[in-house]
Amino acid sequence: MSVLHLTKTFYGISLLGYVKNLSLELKTTLNVYIACIVCEYLLSRIDLDELMKKDEPPFTFPKTLEEFEYAFNEYGQLRHIKTGEPFVFNAREDLHRWNQKRYEALGEIITQYVYELLEKKCNMTKETLPVDATEDEPTGFIYLSPDALSNPSKLLVLIQGSGVVRAGQWARRLIINQDLNSGTQIPFIERAMQEGYGVMVLNPNENYLEVEKSTKSPLPSPTETSDEPAEKRERKDDKEGKKKKEFYEKYRNPQRETETERIPIRENGSSEEHVLYVWDHFVSRAAAKNVFIMAHSYGGLSFVELMNQRESEVKNKVCAVALTDSAHNIWLQETTKSTQDWMQEHCRNWVSSPEPLDTTLEPMMPDCPRVSAGTERHELTSWMSFDSIFRFFSEFHAKEGEEAEETSNSVTTRSGSHKNRHQDL
């Protein structure tokens, strides 16, 4: 049956409906039914081989920014070396999967680039996790400023969200498509150092070592028996292997990707575990009297989980916490009333909102005040709140200093009073 014939039939039946005064419901049903037949026929005529004719290029990509022909300019923007244009995701039309793999390859290079900035520009050093790791086990790391553990006054701890981002990053998308300032933690680190903070940069998404799976098929057990003759089994295996090969050759896509398995890093297998581990082995042992924490997105959830596990320690050591579009939930995480009260006093959450920056927003839960980050883009909330967060920290530090001075004066006064009474006696 040709498409033309089907189309004539479609209109013929429609016309018949009018001529014979069919009900509206029946005419609608007939029209839809015929339309479905036409669509099914057209789809059956699509040649899948033609659609897949263009081979997908291999997943082999440059290993450096220079090989990608990209570089960061003086404004921290990623630009093509020859054209000066921003990064183009769709390097090849109609090959989304290949474009995505290329983007991910560039992202891995960006990660190493940010590590270099932390080490060379910010003078930070890597600390291996676990601290007692053996040579043959998977390890992660965090970054510390030279005075992170020795600074007696202030320590800033930075916790990113979930996903592909690693130490020093807020959002890979911003680094690639906007600039380094908005997408990395570098501005926060530099500002903190200028204001006398020690700094710890956590790495909560570095949870496992990914290794290639062994391609060797397991040897059959010596006790394993089969009713089939060996020659028949070999012919059967060859036939199945040939079918699989023909399938891949026919459709050409998807390419076979390397199969991998993940070996978790001990005591750092998740963001929550990582934050708890760093607290126990680094933050709790730091000399700073006042610890300040900034956590973005899922990092906020990890912080709340830390409070659930180390409530009294956190309350004694942490001065203030700045959250940006935090993913925490005090109900699902079952936080205590005392934790909620502490968060109400010591935390503030800058959330994505169309309202101007720092506008007070309606609370959604009885935990911490919510204010606008001045943007509706989740990934931009940290950068847009930059100045407000440091102002928030400064206010808390000043208040802590005043309270400490009042306590000291009170102790001095009492001591003097006791001395006078002793002299009188």
Side-chain angles (χ1 to χ4, degrees):
M1 181 183 289
S2 68
V3 176
L4 180 61
H5 182 70
L6 284 172
T7 306
K8 287 181 178 179
T9 303
F10 174 80
Y11 285 111
I13 291 178
S14 300
L15 181 61
L16 181 65
Y18 286 107
V19 171
K20 295 196 175 183
N21 198 25
L22 295 176
S23 66
L24 179 61
E25 292 82 5
L26 183 57
K27 286 190 291 183
T28 302
T29 302
L30 286 171
N31 289 343
V32 171
Y33 177 71
I34 298 301
C36 289
I37 293 176
V38 172
C39 290
E40 186 176 354
Y41 173 77
L42 292 174
L43 287 172
S44 69
R45 299 295 297 170
I46 295 175
D47 190 342
L48 291 177
D49 287 332
E50 284 297 314
L51 285 180
M52 310 300 286
K53 183 183 290 183
K54 185 187 293 185
D55 287 349
E56 188 178 53
F59 294 151
T60 53
F61 303 102
K63 301 297 183 183
T64 64
L65 276 179
E66 291 75 15
E67 291 176 5
F68 255 105
E69 296 187 330
Y70 280 96
F72 287 99
N73 63 18
E74 58 182 316
Y75 305 107
Q77 301 165 324
L78 189 67
R79 293 292 183 264
H80 195 276
I81 294 173
K82 296 178 180 177
T83 66
E85 294 295 316
F87 176 76
V88 177
F89 179 85
N90 288 317
R92 302 203 180 190
E93 294 296 331
D94 303 324
L95 289 174
H96 178 79
R97 196 170 72 116
W98 185 88
N99 289 326
Q100 179 63 32
K101 292 293 182 183
R102 172 175 172 268
Y103 177 83
E104 292 170 5
L106 176 62
E108 292 302 313
I109 295 173
I110 295 295
T111 294
Q112 297 302 320
Y113 183 83
V114 174
Y115 288 161
E116 289 182 16
L117 290 178
L118 292 175
E119 294 170 14
K120 296 178 180 178
K121 187 176 182 180
C122 301
N123 194 30
M124 304 190 82
T125 56
K126 270 184 183 181
E127 286 290 334
T128 301
L129 307 179
V131 292
D132 59 347
T134 60
E135 292 184 1
D136 58 348
E137 74 171 307
T139 59
F141 55 88
I142 58 173
Y143 277 97
L144 305 181
S145 67
D147 63 340
L149 297 175
S150 60
N151 188 314
S153 179
K154 299 185 291 185
L155 172 66
L156 175 61
V157 179
L158 299 175
I159 312 174
Q160 67 215 147
S162 61
V164 296
V165 288
R166 294 295 186 265
Q169 301 180 50
W170 294 126
R172 177 184 288 180
R173 182 192 309 177
L174 291 177
I175 298 172
I176 294 176
N177 298 316
Q178 192 157 312
D179 56 36
L180 288 166
N181 278 346
S182 62
T184 73
Q185 298 171 352
I186 305 295
F188 290 84
I189 296 167
E190 291 181 328
R191 173 79 171 266
M193 289 179 172
Q194 290 169 7
E195 295 190 7
Y197 291 81
V199 184
M200 286 189 190
V201 176
L202 272 58
N203 205 5
N205 300 315
E206 189 80 10
N207 308 128
Y208 53 82
L209 174 66
E210 196 161 13
V211 296
E212 186 175 342
K213 277 187 178 180
S214 175
T215 56
K216 294 180 180 179
S217 57
L219 295 174
S221 172
T223 59
E224 188 177 67
T225 59
S226 173
D227 295 331
E228 289 184 338
E231 293 181 359
K232 186 176 180 181
R233 286 202 307 272
E234 289 177 0
R235 286 198 302 271
K236 185 177 179 181
D237 292 342
D238 290 342
K239 188 175 181 181
E240 289 177 355
K242 187 178 180 181
K243 281 184 179 179
K244 290 180 181 179
K245 184 177 179 181
E246 287 176 350
F247 175 84
Y248 282 106
E249 286 180 351
K250 180 178 181 180
Y251 293 103
R252 300 184 180 92
N253 284 327
Q255 292 184 57
R256 279 181 174 272
E257 296 184 42
T258 304
E259 292 188 7
T260 59
E261 59 181 335
R262 295 176 174 180
I263 304 174
I265 298 172
R266 175 164 53 90
E267 298 183 79
N268 287 267
S270 67
S271 175
E272 297 92 323
E273 283 188 9
H274 175 81
V275 172
L276 180 62
Y277 187 89
V278 173
W279 174 272
D280 288 343
H281 292 82
F282 294 92
V283 182
S284 65
R285 301 177 184 181
K289 294 179 181 178
N290 299 295
V291 174
F292 298 83
I293 295 177
M294 180 185 171
H296 173 63
S297 191
Y298 198 87
L301 183 149
S302 298
F303 165 74
V304 172
E305 192 58 32
L306 171 66
M307 284 215 68
N308 287 344
Q309 301 293 328
R310 302 287 187 271
E311 182 177 347
S312 61
E313 294 180 30
V314 171
K315 288 179 178 179
N316 288 334
K317 201 164 182 69
V318 175
C319 182
V321 180
L323 306 173
T324 54
D325 239 0
S326 175
H328 75 274
N329 186 305
I330 60 171
W331 305 133
L332 295 178
Q333 294 182 260
E334 300 180 349
T335 59
T336 63
K337 178 66 166 59
S338 59
T339 292
Q340 295 171 28
D341 293 340
W342 186 89
M343 291 179 66
Q344 187 71 236
E345 184 178 347
H346 294 266
C347 300
R348 187 173 297 174
N349 190 9
W350 280 263
V351 301
S352 50
S353 166
E355 298 296 326
L357 177 65
D358 293 328
T359 301
T360 302
L361 303 175
E362 286 294 321
M364 296 181 66
M365 294 182 184
D367 49 9
C368 59
R370 298 167 68 248
V371 296
S372 172
T375 179
E376 295 184 71
R377 293 174 60 186
H378 168 72
E379 67 274 17
L380 266 175
T381 50
S382 297
W383 174 237
M384 295 297 290
S385 309
F386 178 76
D387 288 320
S388 298
I389 287 171
F390 277 98
R391 191 160 51 244
F392 171 68
F393 286 160
S394 296
E395 291 170 0
F396 258 92
H397 188 252
K399 186 167 68 173
E400 288 290 324
E402 290 173 3
E403 291 177 356
E405 186 176 350
E406 288 175 4
T407 302
S408 175
N409 290 338
S410 175
V411 170
T412 303
T413 302
R414 287 197 300 271
S415 175
S417 176
H418 288 313
K419 183 178 180 181
N420 290 336
R421 282 201 299 271
H422 178 71
Q423 289 175 344
D424 291 340
L425 289 172

